Amino acid sequence: ARGRAERMRGGSTTTTSGGGGYSLWGMTGGLLLTATATALGAKAFDLTRATRVKRNTVGFFHPVANDGGGGERVLWCAMRAVMAARPKASVVLYTDLPAVAQDREVLSDGSEEFSVEGEEEEEEETFWSRYMRERAREKFGVILPSRLEVVELKTTSLLNPSMYPRLTLLLQSLTSTLVGGEALYKLTPQVYIDTCGVPFVLPLARLFGCRTACYVHYPVISTNMLQRVKQRKRMYNNASTGTASSYAKMVYYKLFALIYGCVGSFAQVCMTNSSWTRGHVQDIFWWKYWWQRRAAYIRPLRVFPPCNTESLTKIPLKSPKRNTKSPVILSIGQFRPEKDHRMQLEAYALALKRAEGSSKNLKVILQSKLVLVGGCRSDADRQRVEDLKARAKELGLGDDRVEFLLNVPYSTIRDLLSQAVVGIHTMVDEHFGIGIVEYMASGVIAVANNSGGPAADIITPLRDEKKGSLQATGYLASTTDEYASALVNALCISEKEREKMCLAARSSIARFSEASFDQSFVNALERLWT
């Protein structure tokens, strides 16, 4: 699950500010407008706990629940955990309805319902409940044990970062309160949970009388981001600018970080998905203020996201499908700019170049194939895939070398994991990296970026308690050259060493299981029920 609607990050940090004064006045005006609108809204709707809050209801705010990423998996697993732990509670999903089903929108008002096989006759559900449950099962293998109430959001287009060519972070965040206001006005839950990184709705939810929680996949702004702006380091979310513009941008980001820290601290329970995310949230969120009534609420919890380790560890390390002589290199990740698929292509081309005319033990690389699997959310993503295909051809990588698979079901991904020998992941400061854990659980040697969650929590050496020695569980790299070297090493490793590394990797990822997530998530929310 990262911004997009998931973490309000899908492009939201790509824009520079128009100038220091403009940023400051825009931010001040926006805050005054938000405060005024909130005060007027409170009077207009008579927002009291007694009249608006629907008791024993848990609401999940996830405006776009169809992007197929790790954040969506967290959403479905979190719902499943709450349903299992509190079977009498009503679970609500606030989301945009997918366009593929709009022709059946007549069913979304609950006027026509379908019974669910295996449930009591009176336990009927709307079409949209059934649709979402089927999506969770088909896309992620997550089975929701009971129905849910789906509240359609009509204003989710306001979260599209392309609407705000300037002051993107601020304007996207401020308008998110309108989306949150729509959700809360339509149905006010007892417990409100933000699972997609829209923290500006949290104060509004508290005003509506909700108890609040958030699951942070990736901070909207981080200390790393501030440092890159200060150093004028060019990245997908930090275009190069002149000295004056860089200074204005730095002022803008610091002011936004201040506001972000304020609104984020309105979460009575804050869960983060990794040590990296928790560190940044702890640095930015405000913790000791009047709205924090209990000391137990003032620190973020680390709740690792749910990974399908139980099922994937059943995949055999050795099988006819996993051909180490003609190896498959697998890449799993949405086709977003921060995933840096271009580096994967370039590193693979460099590894092939090194293998040409080399010693016999590198020849296996020439028999390999790179398969890139991921979700496409929009026309921009689809264009990005076309650009990657063009780049592959420039590098001399034909269709026999590189294959792109878009929006495939989970069953296909699982089958690919049973075939792959190496898995590659190139995002810098990846918040966690569910795909990397899935590589390791499946017996696939992982090659990931030496930053963020992968470096801090996932690809860490496993200590042999008897011998006291450390066993590597994968490879970490930063540059294209390092990635090429890691691919060469991972593909050319001996069968004995490969098995040792894969077994160590499987042992190390037990803490990332779905069962562990379910228990940790429910335990965290217990604070809100008491």
Side-chain angles (χ1 to χ4, degrees):
R2 273 185 291 270
R4 25 181 141 116
E6 268 187 27
R7 57 180 163 81
M8 286 207 47
R9 193 197 54 119
S12 63
T13 58
T14 61
T15 314
T16 65
S17 90
Y22 179 41
S23 299
L24 184 56
W25 281 112
M27 191 170 297
T28 304
L31 284 173
L32 289 173
L33 231 96
T34 303
T36 304
T38 300
L40 291 174
K43 288 188 176 182
F45 300 134
D46 186 26
L47 305 178
T48 63
R49 296 176 187 271
T51 59
R52 293 205 59 85
V53 174
K54 188 176 180 180
R55 298 297 176 182
N56 204 29
T57 299
V58 183
F60 288 85
F61 187 71
H62 206 101
V64 181
N66 64 347
D67 69 349
E72 189 183 344
R73 168 179 277 277
V74 168
L75 168 68
W76 301 126
C77 290
M79 281 189 168
R80 180 186 61 192
V82 170
M83 288 175 177
R86 291 192 167 266
K88 293 184 179 180
S90 176
V91 175
V92 179
L93 171 62
Y94 302 99
T95 190
D96 184 14
L97 296 181
V100 294
Q102 291 299 319
D103 58 328
R104 303 183 68 176
E105 190 173 11
V106 67
L107 302 175
S108 65
D109 62 359
S111 58
E112 186 174 342
E113 297 183 333
F114 297 83
S115 62
V116 181
E117 185 178 354
E119 296 186 355
E120 298 296 330
E121 187 175 347
E122 66 271 19
E123 290 295 321
E124 297 178 331
E125 62 180 343
T126 63
F127 164 73
W128 286 113
S129 172
R130 191 165 186 170
Y131 178 92
M132 293 298 178
R133 291 175 71 187
E134 177 59 23
R135 174 176 174 80
R137 185 195 65 79
E138 181 181 337
K139 194 73 179 178
F140 298 99
V142 177
I143 298 175
L144 300 180
S146 59
R147 64 180 178 175
L148 60 144
E149 185 171 353
V150 181
V151 174
E152 181 183 9
L153 300 178
K154 299 283 191 179
T155 54
T156 55
S157 60
L158 294 174
L159 297 176
N160 187 344
S162 64
M163 293 181 63
Y164 316 107
R166 289 291 183 269
L167 300 174
T168 312
L169 277 175
L170 177 64
L171 295 177
Q172 191 184 24
S173 297
L174 291 176
T175 53
S176 72
T177 59
L178 297 177
V179 185
E182 178 194 1
L184 293 165
Y185 181 62
K186 286 182 174 179
L187 191 155
T188 307
Q190 182 177 357
V191 176
Y192 168 89
I193 306 174
D194 168 29
T195 53
C196 68
V198 192
F200 277 64
V201 182
L202 290 168
L204 192 62
R206 293 289 292 274
L207 182 64
F208 268 75
C210 304
R211 300 169 187 175
T212 55
C214 65
Y215 188 93
V216 183
H217 298 274
Y218 197 96
V220 176
I221 192 166
S222 66
T223 50
N224 281 14
M225 190 186 302
L226 294 172
Q227 188 65 23
R228 289 188 188 116
V229 173
K230 184 178 180 180
Q231 296 173 346
R232 299 168 64 186
K233 183 177 180 180
R234 184 167 186 170
M235 285 188 69
Y236 69 91
N237 60 353
N238 186 37
S240 60
T241 58
T243 303
S245 295
S246 292
Y247 177 77
K249 187 193 291 187
M250 190 66 194
V251 171
Y252 166 60
Y253 277 134
K254 282 193 172 182
L255 286 172
F256 180 82
L258 204 65
I259 302 168
Y260 173 58
C262 174
V263 297
S265 61
F266 275 83
Q268 292 168 289
V269 170
C270 177
M271 293 171 273
T272 62
N273 66 347
S274 67
S275 300
W276 184 88
T277 303
R278 182 174 63 177
H280 286 285
V281 166
Q282 195 156 296
D283 286 343
I284 291 178
F285 278 20
W286 301 7
W287 298 111
K288 297 179 180 179
Y289 293 88
W290 59 267
W291 54 85
Q292 296 289 357
R293 296 182 179 178
R294 300 186 186 182
Y297 291 167
I298 67 174
R299 284 292 179 264
L301 305 170
R302 187 184 65 182
V303 178
F304 289 128
C307 306
N308 190 17
T309 57
E310 295 93 336
S311 170
L312 296 177
T313 51
K314 296 176 183 177
I315 296 176
L317 295 180
K318 295 181 180 179
S319 72
K321 294 176 69 175
R322 201 189 304 274
N323 188 347
T324 57
K325 302 300 181 184
S326 298
V328 170
I329 303 170
L330 184 61
S331 168
I332 300 176
Q334 292 174 301
F335 289 101
R336 299 199 304 264
E338 66 270 23
K339 296 297 185 181
D340 202 358
H341 291 90
R342 179 178 287 261
M343 177 181 275
Q344 297 177 13
L345 296 173
E346 293 169 352
Y348 181 47
L350 183 56
L352 288 169
K353 186 176 180 179
R354 291 180 182 178
E356 293 173 355
S358 62
S359 57
K360 186 177 179 181
N361 65 326
L362 296 186
K363 294 296 183 183
V364 66
I365 301 172
L366 300 177
Q367 306 303 317
S368 64
K369 182 177 183 177
L370 174 63
V371 180
L372 297 97
V373 185
C376 275
R377 308 162 298 173
S378 61
D379 290 338
D381 287 352
R382 284 181 279 276
Q383 182 57 52
R384 192 168 294 112
V385 172
E386 293 304 313
D387 293 343
L388 289 170
K389 289 180 178 178
R391 179 56 179 158
K393 289 182 179 179
E394 291 175 4
L395 294 168
L397 302 174
D399 293 341
D400 59 327
R401 287 289 189 200
V402 178
E403 182 178 3
F404 291 84
L405 299 176
L406 313 181
N407 299 323
V408 299
Y410 180 72
S411 57
T412 301
I413 294 176
R414 194 182 190 285
D415 188 55
L416 288 167
L417 286 167
S418 69
Q419 300 175 35
V421 174
V422 175
I424 187 170
H425 191 281
T426 44
M427 179 177 170
V428 176
D429 286 345
E430 170 67 272
H431 54 301
F432 180 71
I434 289 179
I436 299 168
V437 175
E438 291 181 336
Y439 293 154
M440 297 165 73
S442 305
V444 178
I445 294 178
V447 178
N449 195 272
N450 191 13
S451 65
D457 294 318
I458 302 176
I459 304 182
T460 55
L462 183 69
R463 177 175 293 278
D464 187 321
E465 297 299 336
K466 293 182 179 179
K467 299 180 181 179
S469 58
L470 296 175
Q471 170 62 51
T473 56
Y475 295 91
L476 293 170
S478 298
T479 65
T480 301
D481 186 72
E482 290 176 0
Y483 268 101
S485 298
L487 288 176
V488 169
N489 291 335
L491 290 170
C492 299
I493 196 172
S494 69
E495 278 297 312
K496 182 178 179 180
E497 287 301 314
R498 188 180 80 84
E499 186 174 358
K500 283 173 61 179
M501 183 176 289
C502 289
L503 288 173
R506 277 188 169 176
S507 298
S508 71
I509 51 88
R511 62 193 186 279
F512 306 132
S513 68
E514 290 187 356
S516 295
F517 169 83
D518 290 359
Q519 189 62 54
S520 298
F521 192 87
V522 169
N523 287 346
L525 292 183
E526 280 300 318
R527 306 177 181 188
L528 301 183
W529 294 107
T530 55

